[in-house]
Amino acid sequence: QVQLVESGGGLVQAGGSMRVSCAASGRTFSGYAMGWFRQAPGKEREFVAAIMWSGGVTNYADAVKGRFTISRDTAKNTVYLQMNTLKPEDTAVYYCAARLGTRSTSRYDYAYWGQGTQVTVSS
């Protein structure tokens, strides 16, 4: 059974940096795409970034391109989201997700989800 556990959220000032992590377990993830999504209060869950477990190819939402970096450590079975130059509008619950197959920007394509971690950016 696939388990995804996020950690590393918290409070940061605008312009600061934060890294959130996603520990994945329950199977080998070769052939999987790993994604980060976020959901702000009153808004729909939106795509942030995705990475192929094998090969590490990535893609990003326009809103975070150049500021956020997704990566994975296959030895630790962990996916990271490094967030720099944070803005108040980045405040949201950040979710890790996994799907068998190619990267997707649609939340409906991901079968496995973590419980989320809160990131709050103060102005």
Side-chain angles (χ1 to χ4, degrees), residues 33 39 46 48 62 74:
Q39 188 167 17
E46 65 176 5
V48 175
D62 287 343
T74 56

Side-chain angles (χ1 to χ4, degrees), residues 36-58:
W36 283 100
F37 289 75
R38 66 186 183 185
Q39 188 167 17
K43 294 189 175 182
E44 293 202 347
R45 193 169 298 189
E46 65 176 5
F47 171 77
V48 175
I51 187 168
M52 289 304 300
W53 192 266
S54 303
V57 179
T58 61

Side-chain angles (χ1 to χ4, degrees), residues 1-40:
Q1 184 177 351
V2 173
Q3 271 199 313
L4 304 173
V5 180
E6 300 96 334
S7 61
L11 175 65
V12 65
Q13 286 191 329
S17 297
M18 180 178 288
R19 188 178 78 166
V20 291
S21 303
C22 172
S25 62
R27 64 162 301 121
T28 55
F29 288 92
S30 58
Y32 273 68
M34 309 297 291
W36 283 100
F37 289 75
R38 66 186 183 185
Q39 188 167 17

Side-chain angles (χ1 to χ4, degrees), residues 68 81 89 108:
F68 290 11
L81 185 68
E89 51 263 44
Y108 301 109

